Amino acid sequence: SRGLGDVYKRQMWDSLEVAGGIGLAAPQIGILKKLAVIKLSEESDRYPDMEDSEPYVIFNPKVSVVDKTEQGFWEGCLSVPGLRGFVERPRSIRVDFLDENAEPRTIEAEDFLATVFQHELDHLVGKLYVDRMKDIKTLMFEEEMVFDEIKEEVLKDKRKQKLKKKYKYHKTTIKNLKPKLLQRNKNTNINKKI
């Protein structure tokens, strides 16, 4: 019913605000619906230097790739707190969905907004950003990710080897993180080999 949809929508926005995120999928907070909310904010602490977007309430989305050229961003997730991973995704997508009034809508998203849509909508099919990483060795603890500067236009087409040369990690390197990641995996009974 519409009343129940309003309750879900309010829970979603409230949860997103409390977490300080820019997107949230309903399954992340125990709502088993194909529903996500997205709102980019230039005031975000997690993703600085981002432009504001309109708020999106997305029911039953269908995603189509418009431009399969991959771009990469360091993604984080409220479901995997304290970690970031480098993920490459298509640069431009089209999303057909129902809005909060059950009206059909379409958006073509590019660049970072396209990544955010893909990230959130992956939750609706049981995927996390770590499932999309080409190299699990780029998974890092947020507090260890201090860059001189990240220039997104450079990140778009760079691969792991070029990233290692181009960016300086002030506190650690991927090599130094491996023992910490292995220990964390051991402590949480995750037996993925890195």
Side-chain angles (χ1 to χ4, degrees):
S1 79
R2 186 178 171 112
L4 190 56
D6 289 339
V7 170
Y8 290 150
K9 191 172 65 168
R10 181 69 325 199
Q11 284 179 300
M12 297 284 291
W13 287 120
D14 289 349
S15 298
L16 184 63
E17 184 178 339
V18 167
I22 56 175
L24 185 71
Q28 290 180 275
I29 60 168
I31 298 173
L32 302 179
K33 300 289 180 194
K34 286 196 158 197
L35 165 63
V37 295
I38 293 171
K39 170 71 173 93
L40 304 188
S41 171
E42 59 189 20
E43 297 173 9
S44 170
D45 292 332
R46 291 174 55 103
Y47 297 95
D49 302 323
M50 161 177 40
E51 293 182 22
D52 283 340
S53 76
E54 69 176 272
Y56 296 97
V57 177
I58 305 145
F59 284 95
N60 300 325
K62 292 183 179 150
V63 179
S64 309
V65 174
V66 173
D67 180 353
K68 64 182 180 178
T69 304
E70 291 189 332
Q71 62 180 359
F73 292 98
W74 289 95
E75 294 186 26
C77 185
L78 303 176
S79 296
V80 190
L83 295 172
R84 293 279 179 108
F86 190 75
V87 183
E88 295 174 277
R89 299 179 185 267
R91 191 187 79 73
S92 178
I93 60 166
R94 173 187 163 136
V95 183
D96 296 298
F97 62 98
L98 298 177
D99 67 14
E100 65 268 27
N101 299 314
E103 295 292 326
R105 286 198 54 200
T106 298
I107 180 174
E108 284 201 17
E110 295 182 334
D111 304 317
F112 186 65
L113 184 60
T115 292
V116 174
F117 266 87
Q118 291 171 83
H119 175 108
E120 295 308 330
L121 301 183
D122 267 355
H123 285 291
L124 304 182
V125 294
K127 296 260 185 209
L128 296 174
Y129 76 90
V130 293
D131 299 316
R132 301 285 187 197
M133 293 175 64
K134 291 180 179 177
D135 186 351
I136 197 69
K137 292 177 190 165
T138 64
L139 187 64
M140 304 188 138
F141 294 100
E142 284 182 340
E143 64 267 9
E144 295 173 323
M145 290 186 65
V146 181
F147 298 104
D148 284 335
E149 284 184 29
I150 296 179
K151 297 185 190 266
E152 296 302 338
E153 65 272 20
V154 174
L155 284 177
K156 289 179 184 175
D157 298 314
K158 301 297 180 186
R159 298 286 184 248
K160 186 180 95 176
Q161 293 303 318
K162 289 183 181 179
L163 282 172
K164 283 183 182 178
K165 292 176 186 173
K166 189 82 177 171
Y167 297 104
K168 296 177 184 176
Y169 297 100
H170 293 292
K171 294 183 179 179
T172 188
T173 64
I174 292 172
K175 182 178 177 185
N176 293 343
L177 274 178
K178 188 172 180 179
K180 290 181 183 182
L181 288 172
L182 289 173
Q183 183 62 41
R184 177 188 52 84
N185 290 347
K186 184 178 177 184
N187 291 342
T188 57
N189 294 324
I190 297 174
N191 295 318
K192 267 189 175 175
K193 187 171 181 169
I194 295 179

